[in-house]
Amino acid sequence: MCQLLGLNCATPTDASFSFTGFCQRGGNTDHHADGWGIAFFEGKGLRLFVDHESASQSPMAEFLQRYPLKSRNIIAHVRKATIGEVALENAHPFVRELWGRHWVFAHNGDLKDYFPPLHGHFRPVGTTDSERAFCWLMQELAKSHASLPDVHELTLTLRELIPQVRRFGTFNFLLSNGEALWAHCSTKLHWLVRQHPFAQATLMDRDWTVNFAELNHPGDRAAVVVTTPLTSNEQWAAFEPDELKVFMDGLPVG
């Protein structure tokens, strides 16, 4: 299956360290070599990079590891194709507009025979079960709220919608509108918060140690969500099965 990486931060933060380790899983230290992507929110704007090449070999991924784009919400994905061919249109994350905002979604898992009724503005471009699920979530959110609700109301609605998708199979996902990061675990997700007093972290997939105390200020803080822990010397917490967490300003809020 695929792997997920998400960051939700109190201040604009670059993902170079986490993304560098994560990319190695796209065909080097793991077998997720069927495409990759990463999305950076920037105010109301969005920078989206996707590729059908493996992340460990992609020149664009190598560039982004060295180019420190800063964002408060970042979602990345490395793909192991199971449903849908290896093609650019099937690379996660996927993006849609709702209520005048970008929404970004990435999924890990298989949804068997999942073809929900899609009768509104949201239609898949590719052939993945993941994009169909995203379109359905966006469709149902739009039906449930006339305008952009607050994060608490969105979370309540998502809690009602997720089981309707989850019954078709594995539904680990990350979702963000640039304000918050929602993370749902059906089988495997881990998270931590990096904050003052910062410490050293060592990647598991590449020989690189960073002392975050030298790079951050006391007000900086970042929540990191990933399928499998990225570092060997930090305390990662596992999600419970079928748990939905929402992160804002680098902290879990629900």
Side-chain angles (χ1 to χ4, degrees):
M1 292 186 185
C2 310
Q3 290 213 8
L4 304 168
L5 169 65
L7 281 81
N8 171 269
C9 311
T11 56
T13 303
D14 77 76
S16 298
F17 178 74
S18 295
F19 185 61
T20 296
F22 187 65
C23 279
Q24 304 312 305
R25 299 177 178 182
N28 187 10
T29 61
D30 215 329
H31 56 250
H32 308 87
D34 297 328
W36 66 275
I38 187 168
F40 303 84
F41 283 91
E42 210 170 293
K44 289 188 175 181
L46 183 76
R47 297 179 189 264
L48 175 67
F49 302 86
V50 293
D51 196 350
H52 64 282
E53 303 291 342
S54 67
S56 63
Q57 301 297 321
S58 167
M60 185 162 59
E62 182 182 358
F63 166 74
L64 289 171
Q65 292 171 50
R66 294 182 282 105
Y67 185 50
L69 287 172
K70 293 190 174 183
S71 174
R72 293 183 62 190
N73 285 280
I74 300 167
I75 291 178
H77 182 274
V78 289
R79 184 176 184 231
K80 174 64 177 175
T82 53
I83 300 176
E85 63 181 347
V86 178
L88 190 62
E89 64 266 25
N90 289 332
H92 309 217
F94 302 106
V95 180
R96 293 294 188 276
E97 177 274 331
L98 178 59
W99 301 309
R101 302 190 73 146
H102 294 293
W103 290 75
V104 174
F105 174 89
H107 167 230
N108 163 27
D110 287 339
L111 302 172
K112 302 297 185 183
D113 300 317
Y114 181 68
F115 295 92
L118 299 173
H119 46 72
H121 171 67
F122 304 100
R123 303 275 182 162
V125 175
T127 56
T128 65
D129 53 333
S130 306
E131 191 180 15
R132 291 194 290 271
F134 180 36
C135 289
W136 185 81
L137 285 177
M138 291 294 95
Q139 173 183 277
E140 298 306 304
L141 285 174
K143 287 165 58 177
S144 300
H145 304 279
S147 59
L148 179 65
D150 63 25
V151 170
H152 176 69
E153 288 297 320
L154 283 166
T155 304
L156 291 178
T157 304
L158 285 171
R159 291 190 193 280
E160 295 177 354
L161 297 175
I162 288 169
Q164 300 179 55
V165 183
R166 173 69 176 93
R167 63 191 179 91
F168 287 89
T170 305
F171 197 41
N172 304 297
F173 73 77
L174 298 175
L175 173 71
S176 181
N177 63 357
E179 182 182 7
L181 174 70
W182 288 269
H184 179 259
C185 171
S186 62
T187 54
K188 185 196 295 186
L189 272 181
H190 296 80
W191 68 281
L192 59 71
V193 173
R194 293 186 181 126
Q195 60 186 342
H196 183 79
F198 294 95
Q200 288 189 345
T202 300
L203 290 174
M204 297 178 67
D205 298 87
R206 187 166 176 175
D207 184 15
W208 189 9
T209 297
V210 164
N211 184 357
F212 284 107
E214 297 176 351
L215 303 175
N216 291 277
H217 302 288
D220 295 336
R221 182 174 56 245
V224 185
V225 181
V226 70
T227 302
T228 303
L230 287 170
T231 55
S232 59
N233 58 340
E234 293 182 290
Q235 294 298 313
W236 294 87
F239 280 64
E240 296 294 327
D242 295 311
E243 182 179 14
L244 175 68
K245 284 185 177 294
V246 57
F247 298 86
M248 293 183 69
D249 296 322
L251 290 173
V253 296

